[in-house]
Amino acid sequence: MKSGNSFFQLFFGVLIRPKRFLQIILKNNNNFYVWPMISVFSLTSSFNGSGTFLAQINALPIPFAFLMEVVLGTSQGFVFFLAMSWIFYLLGKLIGGKGTYKETMTAVAWGIIPPFSIGMLLNLIEVIPDWVKYLNGNRNMMALTPEPLFEWHTTLLVLDNLIFLWALILTLSTLSMVNKFNFGKWMLFFFMLFGILGLLFVGIQSYMAHKQTRELAQAEYEKGNEFLKQKKYKEAMWTYQGTEGLSKKIDVNLLNLAQKKEWICRAYLNDWTPSEGPRIADVRQIRPEIFSKFQAELSKITPVPQVSK
């Protein structure tokens, strides 16, 4: 390399002195290692979650579903970087920035990827056992909700937030440099960038919370189906009730399916006591609008004793 610095010297150097090392990168090549970095980062991050797309493709054979998860997750990473680069490029131009789109993409890649790589590798340690469970045939989406493997799990969560702040500062520094901002424009860009990233962060957190709740509800529903197949009607009924609580206002279709299965279990058990009580009440009278939807089917069911195993 012309600068005499290796890739790893630049990779770790930009964490501490972003402007100095980004100048070296841009002088060498304004697209220096950007695509390889984005490729590796996107590929690695596709393993680093709770199965982003598996809820939709889980019916496929496990090897193919795993491959699709990796391909779609990696593609998502590319789209993220391209979209973020365009947003920051247009934002910079709006206030008189001098950077080109390629320089902006380089600034984004070298500002975000080095710090996030540290946290991503630590988090990857936690999810590897869950992926092993999935590849060994455990399709339960709960298996892809990482469980704390270490006593310092909470420390990792704090570290993630610090890394996000670190990446924000580095990205702001690298973007300011390529756009040649003075102090006034630097401050304006900071507040605009912070506002956009804040909205993105809130939106992503809201989406992830919604997705995780839906996956938990789906897992509860599948668990209830297993109990129902085994004729464990009491356990199935309780599990479907948990599904209803999770899917309410999130997935109306899943809510309706869980309600139907719950009432089927009630019919087999001849148990019409509402879950919230009182024990002398009859859920058919308390919720006639739900009972009427399934009344015809429920009338065909003959109550049987609960099968305990």
Side-chain angles (χ1 to χ4, degrees):
M1 180 177 167
K2 295 178 182 178
S3 65
N5 296 94
S6 70
F7 167 77
F8 290 105
Q9 285 177 316
L10 296 173
F11 188 88
F12 292 107
V14 78
L15 293 170
I16 303 170
R17 303 182 65 180
K19 288 188 176 181
R20 175 172 179 256
F21 283 93
L22 188 64
Q23 283 177 341
I24 296 173
I25 293 165
L26 292 174
K27 284 180 180 178
N28 179 75
N29 183 345
N30 65 5
N31 210 19
F32 181 68
Y33 274 100
V34 169
W35 289 112
M37 285 173 61
I38 293 175
S39 300
V40 174
F41 184 83
S42 299
L43 176 63
T44 308
S45 64
S46 69
F47 296 94
N48 210 350
S50 57
T52 305
F53 299 100
L54 282 178
Q56 290 73 42
I57 61 179
N58 208 28
L60 298 173
I62 285 180
F64 189 64
F66 175 75
L67 179 62
M68 288 296 293
E69 167 70 19
V70 172
V71 171
L72 292 173
T74 303
S75 300
Q76 183 178 252
F78 276 97
V79 171
F80 168 79
F81 272 100
L82 290 172
M84 291 291 286
S85 298
W86 269 111
I87 290 172
F88 294 147
Y89 171 70
L90 295 175
L91 184 61
K93 288 299 180 185
L94 186 64
I95 55 177
K98 306 297 183 183
T100 66
Y101 176 70
K102 280 189 176 182
E103 290 173 337
T104 302
M105 184 183 291
T106 301
V108 171
W110 283 90
I112 291 177
I113 292 177
F116 268 114
S117 295
I118 298 172
M120 185 175 64
L121 290 174
L122 291 174
N123 290 327
L124 193 60
I125 297 172
E126 288 197 290
V127 299
I128 285 176
D130 298 301
W131 278 111
V132 172
K133 291 179 188 177
Y134 182 79
L135 292 173
N136 283 332
N138 188 347
R139 286 183 176 272
N140 190 338
M141 293 305 296
M142 288 290 287
L144 291 175
T145 302
E147 299 177 359
L149 298 181
F150 311 102
E151 294 181 358
W152 44 277
H153 176 76
T154 303
T155 305
L156 283 181
L157 296 179
V158 174
L159 183 61
D160 281 340
N161 291 324
L162 292 176
I163 287 173
F164 175 80
L165 181 61
W166 191 8
L168 175 64
I169 294 171
L170 285 179
T171 305
L172 178 64
S173 178
T174 56
L175 287 171
S176 296
M177 197 202 83
V178 298
N179 282 291
K180 299 178 173 59
F181 288 145
N182 57 30
F183 182 76
K185 287 186 176 180
W186 188 91
M187 290 300 295
L188 177 61
F189 187 75
F190 170 78
F191 286 114
M192 293 175 72
L193 178 62
F194 187 80
I196 290 174
L197 289 179
L199 289 174
L200 285 173
F201 180 76
V202 171
I204 291 171
Q205 290 298 311
S206 177
Y207 167 75
M208 293 302 294
H210 182 282
K211 184 174 78 71
Q212 185 178 38
T213 302
R214 190 189 183 287
E215 289 174 355
L216 290 172
Q218 183 67 41
E220 282 291 284
Y221 180 73
E222 297 298 335
K223 184 178 177 182
N225 287 344
E226 289 299 316
F227 282 135
L228 188 58
K229 287 179 183 178
Q230 299 169 26
K231 297 183 179 181
K232 295 182 177 180
Y233 301 116
K234 181 70 73 174
E235 291 89 340
M237 182 180 71
W238 291 336
T239 307
Y240 289 131
Q241 288 171 350
T243 303
E244 293 169 42
L246 289 167
S247 59
K248 193 177 295 183
K249 297 182 180 180
I250 290 180
D251 191 329
V252 176
N253 183 55
L254 186 60
L255 174 63
N256 291 333
L257 290 172
Q259 281 180 341
K260 181 179 179 180
K261 295 288 183 69
E262 178 201 346
W263 284 74
I264 288 174
C265 291
R266 286 185 177 279
Y268 277 115
L269 293 166
N270 197 26
D271 181 354
W272 305 108
T273 304
S275 57
E276 67 275 13
R279 297 197 60 80
I280 60 173
D282 190 321
V283 72
R284 292 170 293 187
Q285 297 174 0
I286 295 176
R287 301 174 189 147
E289 73 287 353
I290 299 178
F291 176 59
S292 62
K293 292 192 296 183
F294 314 125
Q295 186 173 6
E297 184 173 351
L298 297 178
S299 65
K300 301 175 184 177
I301 297 175
T302 301
V304 296
Q306 182 182 7
V307 178
S308 299
K309 292 186 180 181

